[in-house]
Amino acid sequence: MDANTNSGSSARAERKQREKAKIIQREKQRQTLKTISRLLQKAEGERSQEDRALLQEHQDTVQELSRRQSRRALLKSKQDEVFDDAENLKVKVKQLAEELQRAKHVVIYTGAGISTAASIPDYRGPNGVWTQLQKGRSVSASDLSRAEPTLTHMCIWMLHKVKMVQHVVSQNCDGLHLRSGLPRHALSELHGNMFIEVCDSCSPAREFIRLFDVTERTALHRHGTGRLCPHCRAELRDTIVHFGERGTLEQPLNWKGAAEAAQRADLILCLGSSLKVLKKYSCLWCMNRPANKRPKLYIVNLQWTPKDNLATLKIHGKCDAVMGLLMEELGLEIPVYNRSQDPIFGLSEALSAQEQESHTREEIAPPAALEDASPDAPAQGEATAVQGGWFGRGYAKARRKKKSV
């Protein structure tokens, strides 16, 4: 018994000794790293003989710090926004216009960058939603009931109308493509639509379009809106695909339409997307084909994207500016958004009397209501800050849990 006890105590002591040695070693490495980093910040002429000897002795650490610095510089350069000068921009847009006219099946991929002109923040820009979440900062958004389709949304609608664009694949949840007049069959909203809630208990799933943001109560892995299906009385859910989730709803995601359009495409135009998420959807890029059999890829974005090296042409400019020049080159009129013709008013379904108080969001006002609005009402940029489930609520908490695991 005593022998077993002594053996157990000896083993514990050895483990403690090994752990202590590891801690001491890590602390020593940390101090060395700190010292070498401080020496490297000195100008070479200011380093003493002792400094140079220390740097020579720790060449591995010097090389590791150099690699870290290079990685940091590369990451920073990828986040920088770059603008083509006016002349270069015109040349590039002219090239894009010529290719669009020659193409037989054009698909447009859109990201948050096409909606920034509507005062909707992007995701990976310097002040984007994703950028802020990664820095551990809280994210707030303006009430989007006052947002309207931008010049880019309306240009896309016109290009589809004249049959120069066959399909639009969007990462955006703001519903502005739908509100621009783009037909549902020509649109895939891969990450959902904040104005649509569905009953997935019904077969097929029933869709309910509202005039307000339905994500007030929803978040990551929590999609119930609190309202009930009038047919089966099951709880309705939003259509949003959050960070880390996989979308399975047939509509409004329309993955089938997106995949079929990508397979038929001979030209893909990416507008305002970092492509860091879209690049993971292999069915959108035809990478199983030889390079010369893939669609030509044109990218309009201010920052680096992971598809830049595959692009036929990269245009560094704001989406509205580029699309305005493109329409001029094509000789097409840029349509102006008209709220009285917004399809959402015809598509939306009113709440039942019992559910009138089921949300606190401002509804999209029809034209007549806007004319009657008080002159003291806040403008779009001054709307009360609200937090929607589509804006990544719950993601920061889930990310902390994942790290702790």
Side-chain angles (χ1 to χ4, degrees):
M1 183 74 176
D2 289 341
N4 289 337
T5 303
N6 290 337
S7 175
S9 299
S10 175
R12 281 195 297 274
E14 287 177 9
R15 281 199 303 272
K16 285 183 179 179
Q17 193 64 30
R18 285 197 298 270
E19 289 299 323
K20 185 178 179 181
K22 286 180 184 178
I23 292 170
I24 291 172
Q25 179 67 15
R26 281 198 297 268
E27 182 59 26
K28 186 178 178 181
Q29 289 173 345
R30 193 180 70 82
Q31 288 298 333
T32 300
L33 202 67
K34 193 174 179 180
T35 301
I36 299 301
S37 178
R38 189 173 63 249
L39 292 180
L40 289 173
Q41 289 173 13
K42 285 185 178 181
E44 196 163 339
E46 295 176 2
R47 294 173 190 166
S48 66
Q49 188 68 32
E50 185 182 349
D51 291 343
R52 285 191 285 273
L54 201 56
L55 290 173
Q56 188 63 37
E57 182 185 347
H58 295 282
Q59 276 298 301
D60 288 348
T61 304
V62 171
Q63 290 172 10
E64 174 59 25
L65 287 169
S66 177
R67 283 193 293 269
R68 289 186 187 183
Q69 186 176 13
S70 297
R71 282 198 298 269
R72 280 195 296 268
L74 180 62
L75 287 172
K76 187 177 183 301
S77 69
K78 287 179 176 181
Q79 293 172 349
D80 290 341
E81 292 188 338
V82 179
F83 290 84
D84 288 329
D85 61 67
E87 193 60 39
N88 195 22
L89 191 64
K90 285 184 179 179
V91 171
K92 287 184 175 182
V93 171
K94 182 178 177 63
Q95 182 181 335
L96 172 59
E98 290 170 354
E99 288 294 337
L100 274 172
Q101 289 171 316
R102 281 194 287 265
K104 295 178 181 177
H105 197 94
V106 177
V107 183
I108 295 181
Y109 296 168
T110 66
I114 74 164
S115 295
T116 52
S119 298
I120 299 174
D122 59 17
Y123 280 86
R124 297 180 191 270
N127 298 305
V129 173
W130 177 256
T131 306
Q132 298 303 313
L133 286 172
Q134 283 194 313
K135 292 178 180 178
R137 298 174 184 171
S138 60
V139 179
S140 62
S142 297
D143 192 327
L144 303 186
S145 64
R146 294 177 179 269
E148 295 181 345
T150 65
L151 181 145
T152 297
H153 287 97
M154 300 311 298
C155 290
I156 292 172
W157 172 82
M158 176 58 81
L159 289 172
H160 178 267
K161 182 183 177 184
V162 298
K163 296 182 169 51
M164 292 191 72
V165 168
Q166 280 64 50
H167 200 85
V168 176
V169 178
S170 181
Q171 295 172 265
N172 300 341
C173 309
D174 52 37
L176 294 180
H177 279 304
L178 179 66
R179 294 183 59 195
S180 73
L182 200 64
R184 299 295 299 281
H185 67 83
L187 175 63
S188 295
E189 295 175 294
L190 300 186
H191 295 162
N193 185 314
M194 59 183 282
F195 295 107
I196 300 176
E197 52 188 350
V198 300
C199 175
D200 55 6
S201 295
C202 288
S203 183
R206 294 181 187 274
E207 190 177 70
F208 302 89
I209 298 178
R210 309 297 189 188
L211 293 177
F212 57 90
D213 176 4
V214 303
T215 70
E216 185 173 5
R217 302 180 184 182
T218 66
L220 181 70
H221 303 312
R222 197 173 74 240
H223 293 277
T225 64
R227 286 173 288 277
L228 303 179
C229 173
H231 302 276
C232 71
R233 306 307 293 169
E235 185 179 18
L236 300 178
R237 55 157 294 173
D238 70 8
T239 61
I240 305 303
V241 181
H242 292 277
F243 301 121
E245 293 182 338
R246 185 179 294 275
T248 56
L249 291 170
E250 186 174 336
Q251 288 291 350
L253 278 55
N254 192 15
W255 267 106
K256 183 181 177 183
E260 288 177 354
Q263 288 301 311
R264 296 178 62 191
D266 55 0
L267 189 150
I268 294 173
L269 173 60
C270 301
L271 295 171
S273 172
S274 70
L275 301 181
K276 289 181 180 178
V277 174
L278 279 185
K279 72 169 183 179
K280 299 176 183 177
Y281 304 145
S282 57
C283 65
L284 299 180
W285 302 104
C286 306
M287 296 304 289
N288 56 338
R289 300 183 197 168
N292 63 341
K293 299 290 185 182
R294 295 173 198 156
K296 290 182 179 179
L297 178 61
Y298 288 78
I299 299 173
V300 178
N301 204 56
L302 293 174
Q303 295 174 308
W304 170 90
T305 84
K307 290 288 184 181
D308 284 358
N309 62 326
L310 298 176
T312 304
L313 184 68
K314 172 72 179 289
I315 302 176
H316 297 95
K318 291 194 173 183
C319 293
D320 279 6
V322 172
M323 292 304 286
L325 289 172
L326 178 63
M327 298 297 275
E328 186 179 326
E329 281 290 338
L330 294 171
L332 294 174
E333 182 183 353
I334 300 174
V336 177
Y337 168 73
N338 185 340
R339 186 170 283 230
S340 65
Q341 296 174 4
D342 193 323
I344 200 166
F345 296 114
L347 295 170
S348 63
E349 193 160 333
L351 294 175
S352 65
Q354 296 83 358
E355 293 182 323
Q356 290 297 325
E357 305 299 322
S358 65
H359 73 97
T360 62
R361 295 297 166 84
E362 185 176 348
E363 296 191 0
I364 300 173
L370 284 180
E371 290 172 8
D372 297 337
S374 163
D376 298 325
Q380 179 176 318
E382 301 168 336
T384 307
V386 295
Q387 186 74 45
W390 71 281
F391 247 80
R393 187 171 61 194
Y395 172 75
K397 184 178 179 182
R399 190 161 176 263
R400 284 196 299 271
K401 280 185 181 178
K402 189 174 179 181
K403 277 188 174 181
S404 65
V405 171

